[in-house]
């Protein structure tokens, strides 16, 4: 008889932390995500990198992006790095990944349509990350260049050209504050929608499991990342709220009435997509109940990064601000459904450590290599002591990085150091925000009297993190027996 817990790890893409109904802001109704939040809610969960590929690589490995050579959406995660999925598989779990992985970005953005990765052909390579079963879909816009399992499905339905033409039509508006993405269907039925298909595959995997063997399922949805394409019935559930607040930084102009209306319509579609995903999560939970395994299953819900949604007159991610760098995170352990809320910071890299800890696997050992050098450095921490109620925090700060900045965040402060990319040395720019007084992160206090000690400490923690977590080296040349 199997006595190990199963894992259903559910991810969304580009999910603002306020857009779940268990949050204090509660900007959209998400009853099924709230079910997961009956366990433990981490109100200050910070991504190690507010960009898709590096955040996902960190989630899989429990290491910072710079440790695995994935600082931005460029290149492919080396399959030799240890992953939590591989550790579970080695321990006897049946492992699966369904939906968006985005661990490979080996092509330049300007390649022609259809000339990216053939993820169907690369499936055996993808399985090397630690998965027995893979049903992968590219991101919405990425499907213009990549061929994946969902693209193959659409192809058979005669819908792939329809999908790609819609991406081309709407792509020019993406990422520009003057032209936020409109909220409208792709002209593809709800039953053929990518989120519905991902849930279908996840449900099939769960139903097919041998009850004598534990399983781990990564179910990764594409939304609410643009393109904003909710099915019409979910869009109709969300009214247009013209009283939306849009944050501005010093010197920025107010949005025009027309532009505000466009952004309000965009946010309406964003909420509708989250409702649609919440519906799919409910379907998955219902199957766990029907299979009588909910009491033996750990549910994890999070996202890779957030979305500023028109605040500061910009769209998207890749920013240090809370809406981009913080994500929703809830974990429901059936033995510890205690309604705990955690205000101290945690990092997304702590999720693989938590999963392995629950599975009674030494995560520091499982996620490290003795050789090549520096692969033994594992900075993630298990959240299980918090979930069990044994402690209130496992770290004092989180570290976030990308190609533009590095960030230290505590419960009360946020420090940002911008990278200098010039050939000659220039003094790095830095900012400090007092989150106790300025939750919107609008006032830089780095040069104000009374903050010198905090600034000094944050600088030291940034230096310590980078110095203590060097990049793990990788080799390819064969060694003689």
């Amino acid at each position: 008889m199997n006595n190990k817990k199963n894992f259903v790890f559910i991810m969304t893409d580009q999910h603002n932390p306020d857009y779940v109904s268990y949050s204090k802001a509660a900007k959209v109704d998400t009853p099924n995500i709230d079910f997961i939040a009956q366990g433990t809610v981490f109100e200050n969960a910070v991504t190690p990198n507010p960009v898709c590929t590096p955040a996902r690589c960190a989630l899989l490995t429990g290491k910072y992006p710079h440790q695995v050579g994935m600082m931005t959406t460029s290149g492919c995660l080396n399959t030799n790095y240890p992953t939590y999925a591989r550790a579970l598989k080695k321990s006897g779990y049946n492992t699966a990944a369904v939906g968006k992985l985005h661990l490979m970005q080996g092509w330049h953005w300007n390649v022609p349509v259809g000339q990216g990765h053939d993820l169907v052909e690369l499936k055996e390579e993808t399985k090397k990350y630690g998965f027995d079963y893979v049903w992968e879909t590219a991101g919405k816009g990425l499907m213009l260049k990549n061929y994946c399992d969902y693209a193959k499905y659409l192809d058979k339905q005669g819908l792939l050209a329809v999908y790609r033409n819609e991406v081309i039509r709407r792509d020019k508006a993406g990422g520009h504050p003057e032209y936020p993405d409109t909220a409208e269907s792709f002209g593809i039925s709800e039953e053929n929608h990518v989120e519905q298909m991902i849930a279908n595959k996840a449900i099939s995997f769960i139903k097919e499991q041998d009850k004598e063997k534990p399983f781990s399922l990564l179910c990764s949805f594409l939304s609410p990342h643009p393109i904003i394409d909710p099915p019409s019935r979910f869009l109709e559930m969300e009214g247009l709220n013209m009283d939306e607040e849009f944050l501005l930084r010093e010197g920025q102009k107010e949005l025009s009435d027309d532009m505000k209306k466009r952004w309000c319509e965009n946010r309406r579609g964003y909420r509708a997509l989250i409702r649609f995903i919440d519906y799919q999560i409910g379907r998955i939970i219902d199957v766990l109940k029907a299979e009588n395994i909910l009491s033996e299953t750990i549910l994890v819900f999070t996202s890779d990064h957030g979305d500023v949604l028109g605040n500061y007159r910009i769209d998207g991610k890749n920013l240090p601000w809370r809406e981009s760098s913080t994500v929703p995170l809830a974990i429901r352990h059936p033995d510890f459904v205690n309604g705990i809320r955690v205000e101290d910071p945690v990092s997304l890299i702590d999720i693989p450590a938590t999963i392995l800890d629950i599975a009674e696997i030494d995560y520091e050992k499982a996620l490290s290599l003795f050789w090549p050098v520096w692969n033994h450095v594992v900075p993630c921490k298990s959240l299980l002591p918090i979930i069990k109620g044994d402690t209130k925090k496992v770290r004092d700060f989180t570290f976030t990085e990308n190609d533009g900045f590095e960030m230290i965040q505590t419960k009360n402060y946020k420090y940002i150091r911008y990278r200098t990319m010039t050939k000659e040395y220039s003094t790095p720019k830095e900012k400090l925000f007092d989150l106790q007084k300025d939750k919107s992160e609008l006032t830089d206090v780095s040069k104000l009297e009374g903050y010198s000690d905090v600034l000094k400490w944050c600088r030291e923690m940034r230096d310590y993190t980078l110095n203590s977590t060097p990049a793990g080296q990788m080799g390819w040349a064969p060694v003689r027996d």
Side-chain angles (χ1 to χ4, degrees):
M1 179 68 179
N2 168 37
N3 59 4
K4 291 187 176 181
K5 299 296 186 187
N6 305 307
F7 296 96
V8 176
F9 181 2
I10 299 170
M11 283 186 65
T12 52
D13 192 350
Q14 200 158 314
H15 197 146
N16 183 298
D18 292 334
Y19 285 72
V20 284
S21 52
Y22 72 73
S23 75
K24 293 175 181 177
K27 294 191 175 183
V28 64
D29 188 28
T30 55
N32 296 302
I33 296 173
D34 286 2
F35 176 80
I36 301 174
Q38 291 174 0
T40 306
V41 168
F42 298 89
E43 297 180 341
N44 198 7
V46 186
T47 182
N49 189 309
V51 179
C52 298
T53 298
R56 291 164 182 270
C57 293
L59 266 171
L60 197 62
T61 62
K63 297 181 179 180
Y64 294 121
H66 72 264
Q67 290 182 273
V68 294
M70 297 299 295
M71 286 291 290
T72 188
T73 304
S74 176
C76 306
L77 179 65
N78 191 308
T79 57
N80 290 320
Y81 286 115
T83 70
Y84 83 87
R86 192 179 301 144
L88 289 174
K89 180 178 178 179
K90 184 178 180 180
S91 183
Y93 277 75
N94 192 14
T95 59
V98 172
K100 179 180 177 180
L101 299 181
H102 205 184
L103 304 172
M104 302 176 186
Q105 185 64 42
W107 46 269
H108 189 273
W109 299 108
N110 294 334
V111 301
V113 173
Q115 297 300 305
H117 294 306
D118 187 333
L119 298 174
V120 178
E121 290 292 329
L122 287 168
K123 193 182 295 286
E124 292 305 314
E125 289 298 311
T126 303
K127 287 181 177 179
K128 291 179 181 179
Y129 293 120
F131 302 111
D132 294 303
Y133 171 78
V134 172
W135 190 88
E136 185 173 4
T137 178
K140 295 176 184 177
L142 294 172
M143 212 174 307
L144 186 63
K145 311 296 178 70
N146 285 343
Y147 193 74
C148 60
D149 288 309
Y150 180 59
K152 182 178 179 180
Y153 170 81
L154 291 178
D155 217 357
K156 289 182 178 180
Q157 304 293 317
L159 294 172
L160 182 57
V162 174
Y163 191 102
R164 284 178 167 172
N165 287 337
E166 185 67 5
V167 172
I168 292 170
R169 183 179 76 83
R170 294 170 64 171
D171 186 57
K172 65 179 182 179
H176 299 286
E178 291 79 12
Y179 303 101
D181 189 25
T182 56
E184 56 182 299
S185 171
F186 259 27
I188 291 176
S189 67
E190 183 177 321
E191 67 179 5
N192 287 323
H193 195 287
V194 65
E195 312 301 6
Q196 182 94 3
M197 292 297 300
I198 290 170
N200 289 348
K201 295 298 180 180
I203 287 169
S204 295
F205 174 80
I206 292 170
K207 287 182 175 181
E208 293 167 1
Q209 293 313 293
D210 180 354
K211 300 296 193 300
E212 298 301 313
K213 186 176 182 179
F215 70 85
S216 174
L217 169 64
L218 171 60
C219 177
S220 181
F221 294 102
L222 275 62
S223 297
H225 189 296
I227 298 167
I228 306 298
D229 62 332
S232 56
R233 75 181 179 105
F234 286 89
L235 187 60
E236 290 167 2
M237 293 178 187
E238 288 294 327
L240 180 61
N241 178 16
M242 289 302 296
D243 294 324
E244 295 267 12
E245 179 185 9
F246 293 88
L247 298 176
L248 297 170
R249 301 204 166 273
E250 185 177 358
Q252 290 186 321
K253 296 180 180 180
E254 293 285 344
L255 296 178
S256 67
D257 290 343
D258 177 65
M259 193 52 53
K260 182 177 180 180
K261 182 175 184 296
R262 292 188 186 205
W263 273 113
C264 290
E265 290 173 343
N266 178 276
R267 289 186 178 186
R268 178 195 179 199
Y270 189 88
R271 295 193 303 272
L273 278 173
I274 293 170
R275 273 185 179 266
F276 186 39
I277 291 174
D278 186 75
Y279 168 74
Q280 305 302 335
I281 293 173
R283 293 177 62 211
I284 293 170
I285 293 172
D286 286 345
V287 170
L288 293 171
K289 291 177 179 177
E291 295 292 314
N292 199 30
I293 55 175
L294 181 62
S295 63
E296 300 301 323
T297 302
I298 310 295
L299 294 171
V300 181
F301 174 78
T302 194
S303 186
D304 50 359
H305 53 77
D307 192 330
V308 295
L309 291 171
N311 285 328
Y312 326 117
R313 300 182 65 94
I314 49 179
D315 185 21
K317 54 199 174 189
N318 205 19
L319 298 162
W321 316 126
R322 173 184 172 275
E323 303 92 336
S324 168
S325 64
T326 307
V327 295
L329 173 58
I331 301 177
R332 188 184 190 277
H333 190 306
D335 298 341
F336 304 100
V337 184
N338 299 322
I340 296 173
R341 285 184 173 258
V342 182
E343 295 183 353
D344 286 283
V346 299
S347 174
L348 285 190
I349 66 170
D350 298 331
I351 294 176
T354 306
I355 290 174
L356 294 179
D357 197 11
I358 293 171
E360 300 181 343
I361 298 171
D362 184 336
Y363 65 87
E364 290 191 359
K365 181 178 180 180
L367 296 175
S368 68
L369 290 175
F370 171 72
W371 188 266
V373 297
W374 303 124
N375 284 291
H376 69 286
V377 180
V378 181
C380 57
K381 297 177 181 294
S382 172
L383 304 176
L384 184 57
I386 297 176
I387 294 168
K388 293 169 67 175
D390 294 338
T391 187
K392 292 184 177 180
K393 68 176 184 178
V394 295
R395 56 171 70 244
D396 295 321
F397 68 92
T398 58
F399 174 75
T400 300
E401 60 184 345
N402 72 354
D403 55 358
F405 65 86
E406 295 147 350
M407 185 176 83
I408 295 292
Q409 184 163 324
T410 72
K411 181 179 178 180
N412 296 325
Y413 296 97
K414 172 176 285 191
Y415 168 78
I416 305 166
R417 184 183 189 273
Y418 292 94
R419 293 181 182 273
T420 54
M421 307 297 284
T422 56
K423 291 183 178 181
E424 296 182 0
Y425 176 80
S426 61
T427 303
K429 295 181 180 179
E430 56 185 4
K431 293 182 179 181
L432 180 69
F433 297 91
D434 186 339
L435 304 179
Q436 302 165 96
K437 301 176 181 178
D438 178 25
K439 293 187 181 299
S440 297
E441 306 166 354
L442 296 174
T443 304
D444 176 18
V445 298
S446 61
K447 295 180 175 59
L448 298 185
E449 186 177 352
Y451 289 96
S452 59
D453 288 345
V454 175
L455 192 62
K456 179 176 180 291
W457 183 87
C458 288
R459 288 169 177 161
E460 289 174 348
M461 292 306 101
R462 176 257 178 194
D463 292 346
Y464 161 75
T465 301
L466 289 175
N467 290 338
S468 63
T469 58
Q473 306 301 294
M474 276 296 156
W476 62 266
V479 179
R480 295 180 65 184
D481 293 331

